[in-house]
Amino acid sequence: MNKKLGYLIIQQHAPLLIGMLALFVALGGWTGFRMNQQWQMLDQNHDMLISSLKYDRQRQQYQDADGLVAPSKQQYLNRYLQVYHADRRGLLANSQVGSNVEPNDFLWGISILIGIALIAVPRHRHLNEWLQSLGFRRAQIFSATFWSYSLTMIIAYSLAKFLVLMILVQNIPRIYFSQFNWWIWGGNVISTILVALILMTVSALVLLVTPNLVIALVVSYAVVQPISWFVLMRSFGQPGNQLLAFLNQYWLIGVGIGSLIWCLGWLLGRHLSAQQTSDRIKQTILLPAWRVPMLLGLSIILTKLVTNVVLTPQTSWPSVALIGTATLIGLIAWIYQPRWSRHFWQLVRQLR
């Protein structure tokens, strides 16, 4: 990366980059406080925790409904209240204590918004045009901005994750960290950051194709689950899906594929940014060659979201086909704006 360009990018985006650091650290502190509060609440209710234990006389051990066993009630409590379990690849929190899981949903949402800001802020403030007047190419500017945001996110989330750990260590007795492992903790940090970087990249790529912020949010939301499953392994124990079970066993393969996806996203962003022109900024799709891919991709995503979120998952195939057809027609009207729909879009523009 050109040093002069990198300095100018950081100077232009300094308020956002500093804000990202501050926000992640604040959220890390809040998460650590909440997790400690939840653990303390469980620790104060030992009677409730051991009330469901059943004693197996043949094996001379206690067992709960989830299969956790221990030779005595005290040892059961020690295992149950463990903050980190060494046998959870990519997953830190004790699966027996669901409320103790570190929440990542806030990270996914912030990552998507960061990707949108990566493109929308310089576009709105015409920052890239000024950099182009200094002789820098569009692809260079995108790369410098992309890596500045990526590095800031890596540092910010690492700090937040470390702050969560420090808060828990300071407030919870060491006996409940007996299964803690730095390698597994570091692996979870790497996995989670990688998911966040991929989501940031996806929302940035969508905005390079269309200036519509809602579409960027919809597409990014649609890829959260498959990406987080593929890289992070959100399911506890042995996943039912064979692919997820394989990736649960070979964590490095999932991380390697996720890293490849992220790097390919960066290269695609360089390619798309090089084709940007300021005269297309008000068009629905900024790059004509991407009209058909956007049409097909969005129709699938929106149909799936409507059937899974708005309707019940058991919606019949005729209903799904009807929703898909209506979605496709609406997207054709939005992307291509045929003559029969122009009056409607003129009205929408006037209402804005």
Side-chain angles (χ1 to χ4, degrees):
M1 183 172 68
N2 185 292
K3 288 185 178 180
K4 181 182 177 182
L5 176 59
Y7 172 77
L8 292 172
I9 292 289
I10 292 173
Q11 193 177 41
Q12 288 178 340
H13 295 259
L16 269 173
L17 299 178
I18 294 172
M20 285 167 56
L21 285 167
L23 178 61
F24 275 94
V25 169
L27 286 171
W30 176 81
T31 301
F33 172 76
R34 290 287 298 165
M35 288 179 65
N36 172 62
Q37 210 176 35
Q38 290 162 355
W39 186 93
Q40 298 293 344
M41 181 184 67
L42 286 168
D43 186 45
Q44 293 167 10
N45 288 275
H46 289 184
D47 292 341
M48 178 193 72
L49 297 181
I50 63 176
S51 62
S52 60
L53 286 181
K54 292 183 179 179
Y55 186 70
D56 188 335
R57 294 184 180 276
Q58 185 177 357
R59 297 181 180 179
Q60 295 186 341
Q61 64 184 14
Y62 291 92
Q63 180 174 340
D64 67 7
D66 295 320
L68 184 62
V69 297
S72 68
K73 291 183 178 181
Q74 186 57 49
Q75 289 189 35
Y76 171 81
L77 289 171
N78 290 347
R79 292 182 185 181
Y80 190 98
L81 292 169
Q82 284 290 312
V83 181
Y84 293 95
H85 267 195
D87 60 350
R88 308 291 176 183
R89 294 189 62 83
L91 292 168
L92 301 179
N94 186 341
S95 66
Q96 305 293 327
V97 189
S99 61
N100 208 29
V101 178
E102 292 187 43
N104 287 315
D105 292 343
F106 71 86
L107 172 67
W108 307 153
I110 294 172
S111 304
I112 292 169
L113 294 177
I114 289 172
I116 290 174
L118 192 155
I119 302 299
V121 170
R123 180 181 285 168
H124 176 70
R125 297 177 59 193
H126 306 287
L127 300 178
N128 291 351
E129 285 79 358
W130 178 70
L131 292 172
Q132 288 172 46
S133 69
L134 298 178
F136 299 108
R137 299 191 306 275
R138 292 188 185 92
Q140 284 182 300
I141 296 169
F142 171 81
S143 287
T145 309
F146 180 86
W147 291 114
S148 297
Y149 275 70
S150 298
L151 182 60
T152 303
M153 180 180 286
I154 291 170
I155 294 172
Y157 190 68
S158 298
L159 288 173
K161 202 79 167 175
F162 189 73
L163 182 58
V164 170
L165 178 60
M166 288 301 98
I167 291 173
L168 295 179
V169 169
Q170 289 296 319
N171 291 279
I172 297 174
R174 288 188 178 275
I175 189 175
Y176 299 110
F177 286 90
S178 60
Q179 296 191 39
F180 177 78
N181 184 296
W182 280 106
W183 288 106
I184 294 179
W185 182 84
N188 179 267
V189 173
I190 292 170
S191 298
T192 312
I193 291 175
L194 184 56
V195 174
L197 291 171
I198 292 173
L199 293 175
M200 179 196 76
T201 305
V202 168
S203 59
L205 290 176
V206 175
L207 274 193
L208 285 173
V209 177
T210 174
N212 193 296
L213 300 180
V214 175
I215 296 301
L217 290 170
V218 168
V219 174
S220 302
Y221 174 78
V223 303
V224 166
Q225 189 177 56
I227 290 297
S228 59
W229 273 0
F230 198 62
V231 179
L232 186 61
M233 294 283 78
R234 293 178 68 180
S235 51
F236 290 102
Q238 291 298 318
N241 184 290
Q242 290 185 353
L243 173 62
L244 297 183
F246 175 79
L247 293 174
N248 193 39
Q249 185 177 1
Y250 300 100
W251 171 79
L252 282 176
I253 294 178
V255 170
I257 294 173
S259 301
L260 179 62
I261 292 171
W262 178 45
C263 291
L264 290 175
W266 162 61
L267 292 174
L268 179 58
R270 280 181 58 91
H271 172 71
L272 294 175
S273 61
Q275 300 179 47
Q276 294 276 304
T277 57
S278 55
D279 60 321
R280 294 177 181 166
I281 195 63
K282 293 189 177 180
Q283 294 183 10
T284 305
I285 302 296
L286 303 177
L287 305 174
W290 281 77
R291 286 176 179 170
V292 173
M294 286 292 288
L295 176 65
L296 297 177
L298 283 173
S299 63
I300 295 171
I301 290 171
L302 291 174
T303 301
K304 183 174 175 58
L305 286 177
V306 170
T307 52
N308 288 353
V309 178
V310 180
L311 303 177
T312 61
Q314 292 79 24
T315 306
S316 62
W317 279 108
S319 299
V320 174
L322 182 62
I323 293 168
T325 304
T327 302
L328 190 62
I329 293 172
L331 288 171
I332 290 173
W334 176 63
I335 294 174
Y336 291 94
Q337 297 193 10
R339 190 173 297 175
W340 55 267
S341 68
R342 287 176 186 171
H343 292 295
F344 172 76
W345 297 117
Q346 286 176 358
L347 179 61
V348 170
R349 283 190 285 270
Q350 289 174 1
L351 291 174
R352 283 181 181 175

